[in-house]
Amino acid sequence: MPKVTPFRAVRPTRDKVGLISSRPYHHYTLAEREARLDNNPFSFLHIVNPGYKYHKEISGPDRYELVKNRYQEFREDHIFIQDKKPNYYIYRLIDSDKQVFTGIIAATSLESYKSNLIKRHEETIAHREDDFKDYLETVGFNAEPVLLTHQDNETLSQIIKEVTKERPEYEFTTTFRDTHYLWNLDDEATLKKIQEEFNHMDHLYIADGHHRSASAYQLYEEFKKNNPKHTGEEPYNFFMSYIIPESNLKILEFNRLVKDLNGLSKEEFLIKLDNSFRIQNRKNTYYKPEEKHQFSMYLDGDFYSLHLRKLNFKIENSLSHLDAQVLYETVLHPILGIKDPRSDSRLDYAHGKKGMPFVKGQVDNGSFKVGFGMVPATVKEMKDIANEGLTMPPKSTYIEPKLRSGITIYEY
């Protein structure tokens, strides 16, 4: 069954954690990054954006080497410390909407990943796997855990309840009004109990972080091959994960934006849509679908509701039931000519936090011709697809929580 172990995290000192933690690099605008880099010498952004020191954009292997150097400087200056004993880490995030996410940060076995005890539901892109594997190999650490989920477990919930009664090691609030807490857990009896609970589970599921886990697996295979004294317990045999019960996941949709109508006029496009959908023009009335197989569309200044004609669409498995796949099979591919949604430059995505008003703005300003909205996928859909060995189209789910970088670090 899945092997999930405690580990010795490298992490910020208590007094600096709020200064160090950052959102992933690409979540900032250029102006936001520069403001943080200019005014906060402890930000983790200094590590992942090492060219800032030289006022130069640096990419590829040169950047990886400098990331390693910046990280070592933070270690040498005792901004980061490493726990002396292996820990599980109880991590709680209360977001600005007051939703509470609580789970366990741990080291998860890549042998379990290889054996499909950790199930995947998304395709990965080879060059992204390769790039991040090279990055990990050079820098020697990972600062963003993969989000895993499991069926709700009363024993783990009770342990977490007892641990979180104590004062946390970290407690800080960000400018996004998210509050973060972390508790160290190194009591051997409790560690053993947690590990046994994971051992009794049939599977864990990747909720977010498919590329990170795939890259860690590539690195594991390379290190294992090149280590004649391989034991299976070296750090490279594991990847850092944040494991939460499935009832604690929050799944939002990804809306679709397309740059043109594939040579069709508006009227021709609507006629083709009529073969698969009941269409209602809602003019300027904002429309958000509430049920599966219903879609919102914004085109030429008007909102439309699209309800799938189910008699004309054959549902063969869990994937063909998924709204993102329905939209691909009925509209994106046959009508708009998008063959590969992973790479077609005419297609873009906007997560559900931005909503259809963002889609409307992108169409109104001429960046895109048409936009589509849908209801979010469910945890059950995600698990069913993984259990059947199928994969969702890219950007089928926007899953929270989104953790900050630099709070716990896993060294290889």
Side-chain angles (χ1 to χ4, degrees):
M1 298 300 98
K3 184 177 181 180
V4 178
T5 69
F7 71 104
R8 296 172 57 227
V10 174
R11 52 188 183 80
T13 55
R14 186 202 294 260
D15 62 315
K16 294 185 177 65
V17 63
L19 295 169
I20 288 172
S21 76
S22 73
R23 289 180 287 143
Y25 176 81
H26 61 279
H27 286 194
Y28 293 95
T29 66
L30 177 60
E32 288 174 332
R33 283 201 303 270
E34 289 184 346
R36 281 157 176 78
L37 290 165
D38 286 344
N39 298 300
N40 180 3
F42 299 109
S43 174
F44 196 76
L45 292 175
H46 284 283
I47 293 175
V48 295
N49 187 32
Y52 171 81
K53 182 176 181 179
Y54 303 106
H55 307 289
K56 182 177 176 63
E57 284 289 332
I58 301 172
S59 60
D62 290 340
R63 173 177 168 263
Y64 304 164
E65 288 290 344
L66 289 179
V67 168
K68 179 180 178 180
N69 293 345
R70 295 292 87 72
Y71 175 68
Q72 290 301 325
E73 289 169 7
F74 273 54
R75 287 278 260 141
E76 291 163 2
D77 292 341
H78 305 292
I79 297 168
F80 286 133
I81 58 172
Q82 185 169 27
D83 288 310
K84 292 185 167 66
K85 296 169 61 178
N87 283 248
Y88 286 121
Y89 301 89
I90 310 299
Y91 191 100
R92 173 169 290 164
L93 166 62
I94 304 177
D95 69 16
S96 56
D97 297 325
K98 304 304 179 187
Q99 180 154 351
V100 181
F101 304 95
T102 308
I104 298 172
I105 295 179
T108 302
S109 166
L110 284 157
E111 272 296 316
S112 297
Y113 176 91
K114 178 181 180 180
S115 303
N116 204 33
L117 297 174
I118 299 168
K119 289 183 173 283
R120 288 86 81 183
H121 67 266
E122 282 189 5
E123 293 183 358
T124 55
I125 300 171
H127 76 83
R128 286 186 60 192
E129 282 186 34
D130 295 341
D131 289 348
F132 195 63
K133 175 258 179 184
D134 293 342
Y135 172 86
L136 293 176
E137 187 172 11
T138 300
V139 304
F141 70 89
N142 184 23
E144 295 181 21
V146 173
L147 182 63
L148 303 180
T149 190
H150 60 80
Q151 192 171 10
D152 288 30
N153 180 287
E154 182 57 35
T155 300
L156 292 180
S157 295
Q158 191 59 39
I159 290 171
I160 288 171
K161 183 178 179 180
E162 291 301 316
V163 171
T164 55
K165 288 178 181 178
E166 305 296 326
R167 181 192 180 195
E169 174 69 10
Y170 297 152
E171 178 180 359
F172 65 96
T173 300
T174 73
T175 54
F176 266 54
R177 300 179 185 270
D178 297 333
T179 303
H180 301 253
Y181 305 84
L182 183 132
W183 291 262
N184 293 19
L185 182 53
D186 63 4
D187 173 71
E188 291 188 10
T190 308
L191 295 182
K192 183 178 179 181
K193 196 170 184 180
I194 292 174
Q195 196 158 7
E196 287 173 350
E197 286 302 312
F198 284 123
N199 286 341
H200 292 154
M201 294 178 184
D202 292 332
H203 300 97
L204 294 171
Y205 293 83
I206 297 177
D208 192 23
H210 286 77
H211 284 91
R212 277 170 278 151
S213 52
S215 300
Y217 178 72
Q218 277 196 31
L219 189 66
Y220 154 77
E221 288 284 17
E222 180 174 309
F223 281 176
K224 178 182 176 182
K225 179 181 178 182
N226 295 329
N227 182 5
K229 297 181 179 181
H230 173 81
T231 67
E233 296 301 321
E234 297 89 350
Y236 62 75
N237 289 277
F238 302 87
F239 64 97
M240 185 170 62
S241 55
Y242 179 48
I243 311 172
I244 68 174
E246 59 187 46
S247 64
N248 206 196
L249 280 181
K250 181 179 179 181
I251 303 181
L252 299 173
E253 72 278 9
F254 263 105
N255 298 318
R256 271 61 175 151
L257 289 152
V258 184
K259 291 187 176 179
D260 59 65
L261 297 183
N262 197 28
L264 300 171
S265 69
K266 172 184 170 180
E267 292 73 21
E268 290 169 336
F269 175 61
L270 290 171
I271 289 170
K272 286 184 177 292
L273 281 181
D274 197 86
N275 290 326
S276 298
F277 298 95
R278 291 182 60 185
I279 305 171
Q280 182 177 351
N281 187 337
R282 308 221 172 209
K283 302 296 183 181
N284 61 356
T285 301
Y286 173 78
Y287 173 72
K288 182 174 177 63
E290 296 180 350
E291 297 180 13
K292 290 290 175 187
H293 304 156
Q294 296 179 359
F295 301 86
S296 175
M297 181 175 74
Y298 186 73
L299 171 67
D300 194 28
D302 289 337
F303 281 101
Y304 295 79
S305 59
L306 308 179
H307 291 187
L308 182 68
R309 298 185 189 276
K310 296 182 181 179
L311 291 177
N312 295 347
F313 186 82
K314 188 174 181 180
I315 294 177
E316 299 177 332
N317 52 35
S318 58
L319 178 60
S320 59
H321 184 266
L322 186 74
D323 278 351
Q325 185 70 13
V326 171
L327 190 68
Y328 174 74
E329 291 185 13
T330 57
V331 183
L332 298 183
H333 185 202
I335 300 176
L336 294 178
I338 293 169
K339 295 180 180 179
D340 188 348
R342 296 173 300 172
S343 59
D344 197 309
S345 62
R346 297 166 54 229
L347 176 66
D348 206 349
Y349 305 90
H351 61 70
K353 275 197 163 184
K354 294 181 176 180
M356 285 301 288
F358 175 82
V359 171
K360 178 182 184 299
Q362 292 295 295
V363 174
D364 286 346
N365 70 21
S367 299
F368 295 90
K369 186 68 175 178
V370 62
F372 301 92
M374 65 193 82
V375 300
T378 65
V379 172
K380 183 180 185 303
E381 286 180 309
M382 182 184 79
K383 290 175 63 177
D384 287 346
I385 288 169
N387 289 338
E388 292 180 30
L390 303 170
T391 53
M392 293 181 173
K395 303 292 186 183
S396 292
T397 56
Y398 181 84
I399 297 182
E400 294 184 321
K402 301 290 187 188
L403 299 192
R404 293 209 148 208
S405 300
I407 296 175
T408 58
I409 297 172
Y410 187 85
E411 289 191 343
Y412 293 97

